[in-house]
Amino acid sequence: MKIDSGFYLSCCSIIGNTLQKGQTMRNDDDLEMTPEEARQDHWDMLWFLARNALFGATLGLFIAAGLMFFDIGGLGTRIERSQNPVLPMILISLPLVTTFAGAVTASAIMLMPYKRRKER
């Protein structure tokens, strides 16, 4: 079965590959990194994830503090009048912190532009 080159190029452009006529797709073997580059890339990615998780956790903490400070739904008043106010604050803050940290980190990973390190 013969595939038309125009059809192939249109399928590649739909998928995201931008091949011109006469070009061939590169093999992943051509883009190998040295161990030092791979290690540095690994640490860069970990720092990227940590920064985004910290930003999300901070955002969740500010939202929990806002809920208590602005007394939304009488929450701040109930926490003030409780015998042990630390426990309800933790029970409200911890899920918000973890949810926002995970959501910001996941959205940063999904929106991250993929860039090949070595192009010849």
Side-chain angles (χ1 to χ4, degrees):
M1 179 176 172
K2 185 178 176 188
I3 298 177
D4 183 29
S5 64
F7 174 74
Y8 176 73
L9 289 174
S10 64
C11 288
C12 288
S13 65
I14 290 171
I15 294 172
N17 299 332
T18 55
L19 290 178
Q20 303 297 324
K21 284 193 175 189
Q23 280 185 330
T24 59
M25 292 181 66
R26 286 189 173 170
N27 211 356
D28 285 337
D29 298 334
D30 295 338
L31 303 172
E32 290 184 18
M33 287 195 262
T34 63
E36 287 104 23
E37 289 174 334
R39 189 175 301 113
Q40 182 63 39
D41 187 49
H42 176 74
W43 282 109
D44 290 342
M45 182 58 69
L46 285 176
W47 279 112
F48 174 76
L49 292 174
R51 281 191 311 264
N52 282 291
L54 184 64
F55 176 73
T58 307
L59 185 64
L61 195 61
F62 278 128
I63 289 174
L67 285 172
M68 294 173 212
F69 179 76
F70 292 115
D71 198 23
I72 296 177
L75 189 63
T77 306
R78 290 175 190 219
I79 289 174
E80 281 179 10
R81 293 180 183 168
S82 70
Q83 291 178 356
N84 185 9
V86 176
L87 184 62
M89 287 176 17
I90 290 173
L91 288 174
I92 291 169
S93 300
L94 194 63
L96 285 170
V97 165
T98 55
T99 300
F100 277 92
V104 169
T105 305
S107 66
I109 290 171
M110 287 186 286
L111 296 175
M112 184 173 56
Y114 181 73
K115 195 176 197 181
R116 292 197 174 172
R117 298 284 177 189
K118 284 185 170 182
E119 292 191 20
R120 294 181 186 176

